[in-house]
Amino acid sequence: MKAMDPSDEVTVVVRRHILPGHEAQFEHAMRDFVNFVLACPGHVGISVLRPNDGNGEYVVVDRFANAAARKALVSSPEYERWMKLLGAHTEGEPDMQEMNGLDAWLNQPGSPMKTPPRYKTAVATYLGVCVVIFLLNITVGDLIHSLPAWLSFLFFNACVVALLTWVFMPLISRMLSSWLFSRQGEAAAETIPNHNENSEK
């Protein structure tokens, strides 16, 4: 079985403003929708953030193994039905931002999603990979070398992906944010355009 490449991952952030008085109905529908997408092939994870300032905006962060998995979901009749059901409780059209795995690593939760220049993404990713591999080698290196080669390979790479995704890339993004998205001396970092969720088929 081919190992999942984190650079192929697609992260989708959907923002919905819920109609006043529809919060309970929306949350009930969203719980069922979460169960639906979690069972879909290629789906990696989903998080739902409730509004914390009274603005009625719910944020859904959806992750897929690759673009093909995302396309398969949004092309299904079941997905169309769920979008209509959730849309019945939504004020206006939802806003959606879609990014690949490396770009998503370098963005802060709650901030506009932007892509830094590719060479900066490469530098930040290189730093993260070097740190993670060094730390793993001095901590669990001797342990995993005693395992069968295939098991050692799978375990080591799983640790690399997990540490990069949830620890080091967010940390590096915060530390280098002024450089990653600097507008001085180069073209500005591109802001990912918003897409209407219902038009993504």
Side-chain angles (χ1 to χ4, degrees):
M1 179 181 296
K2 181 181 177 182
M4 186 180 74
D5 186 345
S7 66
D8 290 339
E9 275 195 18
V10 173
T11 300
V12 182
V13 179
V14 181
R15 293 178 171 85
R16 291 177 178 271
H17 286 273
I18 306 308
L19 291 168
H22 285 238
E23 292 82 6
Q25 298 98 312
F26 174 79
E27 291 201 8
H28 183 271
M30 179 55 68
R31 281 194 293 270
D32 290 339
F33 176 71
V34 167
N35 291 330
F36 161 68
V37 296
L38 287 176
C40 294
H43 191 270
V44 176
I46 184 170
S47 300
V48 181
L49 308 179
R50 292 182 173 89
N52 56 11
D53 56 4
N55 66 357
E57 182 182 77
Y58 281 74
V59 180
V60 179
V61 181
D62 217 357
R63 294 172 55 228
F64 299 85
N66 49 52
R70 165 70 179 164
K71 183 177 180 181
L73 173 64
V74 301
S75 300
S76 68
E78 293 85 357
Y79 179 84
E80 178 75 20
R81 183 178 68 84
W82 278 112
M83 291 304 97
K84 290 180 180 179
L85 180 59
L86 294 171
H89 306 294
T90 302
E91 183 178 321
E93 297 295 338
D95 291 325
M96 186 185 72
Q97 295 172 304
E98 182 174 323
M99 306 187 75
N100 66 35
L102 294 178
D103 292 332
W105 271 343
L106 297 174
N107 277 272
Q108 301 297 318
S111 64
M113 300 185 80
K114 299 178 292 184
T115 56
R118 284 296 173 186
Y119 80 91
K120 291 187 177 183
T121 298
V123 169
T125 305
Y126 174 76
L127 292 175
V129 170
C130 286
V131 171
V132 169
I133 291 178
F134 173 76
L135 291 176
L136 288 175
N137 278 327
I138 66 175
T139 54
V140 300
D142 291 338
L143 174 63
I144 65 175
H145 286 160
S146 64
L147 299 173
W150 66 270
L151 184 57
S152 173
F153 173 81
L154 292 177
F155 178 77
F156 188 86
N157 283 286
C159 290
V160 170
V161 172
L163 288 172
L164 281 174
T165 301
W166 287 291
V167 180
F168 287 98
M169 290 311 295
L171 179 61
I172 289 172
S173 176
R174 288 193 295 270
M175 293 174 63
L176 301 181
S177 60
S178 60
W179 175 72
L180 283 168
F181 301 107
S182 172
R183 292 175 177 267
Q184 296 180 353
E186 59 187 310
E190 297 178 0
T191 300
I192 295 296
N194 288 342
H195 300 279
N196 185 292
E197 183 181 44
N198 294 321
S199 67
E200 284 288 316
K201 302 298 180 188

